[in-house]
Amino acid sequence: MKKKIVSALLTATMVCGMSVVPAVGVAAADDTITVGFSQVGAESDWRTANTESMKSTFSEENGYELIFDDAQQKQENQLTAIRNFIQQEVDYILLAPVTETGWDTVLQEAKDADISVIIVARMVDVSDDSLYTTWIGTDSLLEGRKAAEWLNAYTTAKGIDAKDVNIVDIQGTIGSTAQIGRSKGLEEGVDNYGWNLLAQQSGEFTQAKGQEVMESILKQSGDDIDVVYCENDNEAFGAIDAIEAAGYEVGGEEGQILVMSFDTTNAGLTDTLSGKITLDTECNPLHGPRVQEIIEKLEAGEEVDKQAYVDEEMFAADDTVTSIKVDDADYEVTTITQDIIDGRAY
Ligand code: GYE
């Protein structure tokens, strides 16, 4: 831990009254950057890939000491973890916040302790943005808008009337950036095109909850459902299991229930290849190297952007729609292949 070692050296200098020439081992330890990472949990394949990316980046070989804390999807655990990091005098705090609100007090404590905070993946909603140094993550609203534009293009290409498009939205963790943006993108599509939103309920980004929620919605309105918009892959896996167990088929053909998803994890794209998921919109979890680049810049005294979005793609089961437009920008929709899946890093 840099700060502690520096102060230990200063103390040694004062006590001995002579200059201290650090031994080689001490000098090496002096370079170690201590990072406390408060991770939301392990609710999804995306999250596991994200944890893995952070752990392999902030390794001893790379000159870091990582203190990792899994909050099990609870904000109170994240608050405790951050307070522990402050007490341990880490050099940086990385926070992947479960929801957007409720961070002002604890981030003020980090600021008072002079510790830089980097927000990862989801965003925080704080009254003073000097409470964090920078944010890196996904543009969830754009993801939702892209998915909605694809649905409009797909149903139009199939000659389906907008008023015959009945949608179920299995939302993510309520109040998280990923949920807020993805739900809003769909809701805008409902307003713009006149689709019917039959049900909207949280599956908490997990397979188990996605399945449970889908089961109960199927009981109420099974025969009416045309589209299930899952806000991540794990919810989609659960929803697909529920749909098939109830005797319905998933897919993009007439009479089937069309499943849309986000994340493009390996398992998600495998379901896209088999046609169980018709569209999977990417959300890239490999933030480790990106955060490392930010830390290196800060260490060098350079300026960093206040926020940075990651570029993301869209993958479909077939080529009914090959590109869509959001706010005058074109986005390609790639038909998934096994080669694409094999060539991906997660
Ligand atoms: O889509 C989901 C995860 O915050 C972007 O959280 C992330 C989301 C991701 O649990 O699978």
Side-chain angles (χ1 to χ4, degrees):
M1 196 177 301
K2 281 191 312 174
K3 282 174 192 156
K4 280 204 172 138
I5 289 163
V6 169
S7 64
L9 289 175
L10 288 176
T11 315
T13 313
M14 286 173 340
V15 169
C16 305
M18 58 184 198
S19 64
V20 174
V21 181
V24 177
V26 176
D30 190 23
D31 287 341
T32 299
I33 297 172
T34 305
V35 167
F37 177 34
S38 170
Q39 176 62 293
V40 177
E43 73 284 0
S44 65
D45 287 20
W46 186 100
R47 191 62 58 190
T48 308
N50 177 249
T51 294
E52 185 37 47
S53 170
M54 301 294 258
K55 282 187 174 170
S56 59
T57 303
F58 296 107
S59 63
E60 244 176 78
E61 306 90 79
N62 289 346
Y64 293 92
E65 186 197 336
L66 176 67
I67 309 172
F68 178 83
D69 187 89
D70 177 335
Q72 310 200 324
Q73 301 238 66
K74 292 199 181 74
Q75 185 172 43
E76 72 222 55
N77 291 345
Q78 296 205 282
L79 298 177
T80 305
I82 293 171
R83 292 193 168 113
N84 286 338
F85 297 153
I86 295 171
Q87 211 150 42
Q88 291 170 84
E89 295 182 32
V90 299
D91 298 308
Y92 294 90
I93 291 174
L94 313 183
L95 168 63
V98 59
T99 49
E100 292 195 346
T101 54
W103 302 102
D104 294 71
T105 308
V106 79
L107 293 188
Q108 184 65 54
E109 291 167 26
K111 189 180 174 186
D112 292 345
D114 218 8
I115 300 173
S116 289
V117 175
I118 300 171
I119 312 291
V120 187
R122 300 177 187 172
M123 194 31 167
V124 291
D125 180 3
V126 283
S127 49
D128 168 8
D129 76 0
S130 77
L131 293 181
Y132 61 88
T133 305
T134 181
W135 172 77
I136 173 118
T138 194
D139 186 342
S140 304
L141 179 56
L142 178 61
E143 286 175 355
R145 286 177 170 159
K146 290 196 298 193
E149 287 309 314
W150 174 89
L151 181 60
N152 177 52
Y154 189 87
T155 48
T156 304
K158 297 271 181 191
I160 303 167
D161 207 284
K163 65 173 176 4
D164 295 329
V165 179
N166 297 303
I167 306 173
V168 168
D169 177 13
I170 303 187
Q171 298 173 287
T173 302
I174 300 298
S176 69
T177 307
Q179 177 274 317
I180 294 170
R182 291 169 192 169
S183 293
K184 185 162 192 279
L186 176 67
E187 287 158 4
E188 287 178 357
V190 168
D191 286 348
N192 292 340
Y193 300 115
W195 305 321
N196 304 314
L197 193 51
L198 289 180
Q200 201 171 28
Q201 217 176 307
S202 177
E204 269 147 40
F205 284 133
T206 69
Q207 176 160 351
K209 192 78 188 173
Q211 178 167 349
E212 190 187 308
V213 164
M214 192 69 228
E215 278 164 2
S216 82
I217 297 172
L218 280 161
K219 275 186 200 138
Q220 290 155 25
S221 39
D223 288 345
D224 300 330
I225 303 167
D226 301 302
V227 175
V228 181
Y229 178 96
C230 300
E231 294 187 9
N232 83 343
D233 279 346
N234 291 77
E235 291 180 341
F237 306 148
I240 291 167
D241 285 348
I243 292 167
E244 291 180 336
Y248 298 96
E249 264 184 54
V250 289
E253 298 308 317
E254 215 187 314
Q256 297 179 327
I257 296 181
L258 184 150
V259 176
M260 301 171 69
S261 184
F262 295 88
D263 281 359
T264 66
T265 57
N266 191 283
L269 288 178
T270 303
D271 274 0
T272 310
L273 187 63
S274 74
K276 289 187 183 230
I277 292 174
T278 306
L279 177 78
D280 205 349
T281 301
E282 184 176 36
C283 178
N284 190 308
L286 306 181
H287 292 315
R290 298 183 191 112
V291 177
Q292 184 183 17
E293 206 184 306
I294 290 170
I295 290 181
E296 280 170 3
K297 280 193 181 161
L298 292 171
E299 287 291 300
E302 290 170 31
E303 292 267 311
V304 295
D305 292 337
K306 195 73 191 181
Q307 71 171 46
Y309 286 131
V310 178
D311 283 342
E312 290 158 337
E313 302 179 61
M314 302 171 84
F315 295 97
D318 66 33
D319 63 357
T320 307
V321 176
T322 54
S323 85
I324 51 105
K325 229 186 227 312
V326 174
D327 290 334
D328 283 334
D330 288 308
Y331 297 92
E332 203 185 317
V333 180
T334 306
T335 306
I336 195 67
T337 63
Q338 188 64 53
D339 278 354
I340 294 175
I341 297 175
D342 293 344
R344 286 168 61 83
Y346 65 95

